[in-house]
């Protein structure tokens, strides 16, 4: 194709204005479309009708797309007769532009009205990042060219030229293209009418001619091209003359061939077959290998980009935190109540104790919960949990249970909460734990005298400062946690919760593994772990609170828990 054909405005020149699509480091889509239109090579446009088909077209290597009226209306389930409003088309175009980086040529039908509608259309297309529009010389509402073409009325030439001129005057980006589609052959006219019209449209400012034909042979479009020569680029839609070798189009010097409806036509038999199979067989087995995996949908949607963005933008805390609930022991003190289930499954107000614990964590947005089972593991069967079994539960303590749970899940990307399976609590306690950003956080009950008065075994804490009104604003750290802290040094009762930041998890693993390796620690409890962490120089932040939790150790506790609200 000779350089003479390269008419049109100078690529790259842009009228100033806020509406021009500017992507840093990349040529504008309008400019890239114009380059394709003016290129001496035969270029190809693929039909796309929504965001995902547009992305598939781009991935296949197409350098531009055809947003065809036939397929866009068909995917809405309506006819190619302007039944979908132009703004509905515009909405879909926006998804297509967002899903791609390549230029899109809109099949703008007749321009949806007269000159005034065309200029508004052009403005809106530029705003949405569409590179070019094609308008055809028919009347609104149009009918598809392959339906009773001969009955279709062509537009008055002058009136159609006014649509072209108004569109060209309206564009702000000089590289936006308006292709004009000559429907003379479709409407049963001859070459003379086609050329007369093309000439007028060219003079009115059209950037290229789409010459359409419904014949099974390319003879009309080839005849047109011979006469038209290189006055402006010529675009074809070979749907009906599909058997023509592409070389013929190349040799004839066409600018662009549009594969105008093939993605939708490919999808239709695939969908029909899938629907019929499922209706017939009422199961998914036979279809699974013939449909795209769900992962492929995620990929086409760009799901991984969102995951990366979530990492960057969303606060991590609490989001994907996980919990280890230590629930291996039987709770022999509960007698008959634990004959057929471990303590964590004893019912409190109609629900297993463990269900109350899970509900509290779920309410705080934490759903990754793993439970260490020991005594009668099968009895712990609540949904949505993962399980770790400590088969040595009878002669090991909580430290070993924790060590097993840490070994079972080595994901250290999120904060970890460690909890007992026999402690119920008000939900806000989790918020107290979650708030400080320290590596280790525990909650201590200032009402520790209550446990002393009841004569029960408890883990007491001695801290850097006792609870007081002034201390509310201070950062308080653990000094010691044990069952036998002298009254003068005791500041609270440890409630059994420990939060460990993702950052500190490798250090926790190290300490737990080192302790678990010592035979004398087989029955070690978590307060031994806290003491060891402090001994190693870790700072364990203490948050004081009062009441609103219950350690279920005895039958009396079960009764008390039943009244716990
Ligand atoms: C379209 O794809 O909507 C077209 C081409 O306009 S045709 O259906 O051949 O008219
Ligand atoms: Mg169309």
């Amino acid at each position: 194709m000779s350089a003479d054909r390269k008419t049109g405005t100078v690529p790259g020149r842009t009228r100033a204005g806020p509406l021009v699509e500017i992507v840093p480091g990349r040529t504008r889509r309008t400019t890239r479309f114009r380059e394709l239109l003016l290129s001496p090579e035969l270029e190809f446009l693929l039909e796309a009708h929504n965001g995902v088909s547009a992305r598939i077209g781009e991935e296949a290597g197409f350098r531009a797309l055809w947003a065809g009226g036939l397929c866009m209306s068909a995917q809405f389930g309506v006819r190619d007769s302007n039944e979908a409003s132009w703004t509905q088309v515009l909405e879909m175009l926006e998804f297509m532009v967002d899903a791609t980086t390549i230029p899109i040529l809109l099949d703008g039908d007749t321009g949806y009205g007269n000159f005034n509608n065309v200029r508004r259309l052009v403005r809106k297309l530029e705003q949405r990042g569409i590179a070019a529009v094609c308008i055809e010389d028919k009347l609104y509402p149009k009918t598809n060219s392959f339906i009773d073409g001969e009955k279709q009325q062509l537009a008055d030439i002058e009136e159609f030229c006014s649509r072209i001129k108004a569109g060209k005057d309206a564009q702000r980006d000089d590289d936006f293209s308006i292709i004009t589609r000559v429907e003379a052959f479709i409407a049963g006219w001859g070459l003379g009418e086609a050329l007369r019209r093309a000439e007028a449209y060219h003079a009115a400012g059209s950037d290229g001619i789409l010459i359409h034909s419904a014949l099974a042979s390319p003879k009309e479009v080839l005849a047109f091209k011979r006469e038209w020569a290189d006055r402006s680029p010529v675009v074809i839609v070979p749907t009906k003359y599909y058997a023509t070798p592409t070389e013929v189009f190349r040799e004839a010097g066409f600018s662009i061939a549009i594969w105008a409806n093939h993605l939708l036509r490919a999808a239709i038999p695939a969908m029909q077959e899938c629907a019929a199979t499922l209706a017939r067989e009422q199961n998914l087995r036979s279809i699974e290998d013939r449909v795209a995996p769900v992962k492929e949908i995620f990929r086409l949607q760009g799901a991984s980009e969102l995951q990366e963005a979530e990492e960057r933008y969303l606060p991590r805390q609490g989001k994907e935190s996980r919990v280890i609930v230590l629930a291996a022991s039987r709770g022999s003190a509960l007698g008959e109540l634990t004959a057929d289930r471990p303590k964590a499954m004893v019912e409190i107000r109609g629900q297993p104790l463990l269900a109350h614990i899970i509900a509290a964590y779920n309410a705080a947005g934490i759903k990754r919960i793993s439970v260490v089972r020991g005594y009668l593991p099968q009895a712990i069967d609540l949904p949505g949990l993962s399980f770790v079994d400590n088969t040595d539960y009878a002669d090991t303590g909580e430290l070993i249970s924790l060590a097993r749970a840490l070994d079972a899940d080595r994901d250290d990307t999120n904060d970890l909460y460690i909890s007992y399976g026999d402690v119920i609590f008000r939900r806000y306690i989790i918020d107290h734990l979650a708030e400080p950003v320290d590596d280790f956080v525990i909650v201590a009950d200032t009402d520790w005298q209550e446990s002393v008065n009841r004569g029960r075994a408890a883990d007491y804490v001695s801290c850097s400062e006792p609870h007081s009104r002034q201390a509310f604003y201070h950062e308080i750290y653990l000094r010691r946690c044990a069952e036998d802290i002298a009254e003068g040094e005791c500041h609270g009762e440890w409630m059994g919760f420990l939060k460990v930041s993702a950052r500190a998890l490798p250090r926790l693993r190290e300490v737990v593994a080192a302790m678990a390796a010592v035979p004398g620690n087989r029955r070690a409890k978590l307060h031994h772990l806290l003491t060891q962490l402090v001994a190693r120089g870790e700072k364990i932040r203490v948050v004081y609170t009062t009441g609103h939790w219950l350690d279920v150790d005895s039958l009396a506790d079960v009764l008390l828990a039943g009244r716990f609200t």
Side-chain angles (χ1 to χ4, degrees), residues 66 68-70 80 107 109 136 142 144 181:
W66 166 251
L70 173 64
D80 188 15
D107 172 7
D109 293 341
E136 64 197 60
K142 52 80 50 111
N144 185 274
R181 168 162 154 184

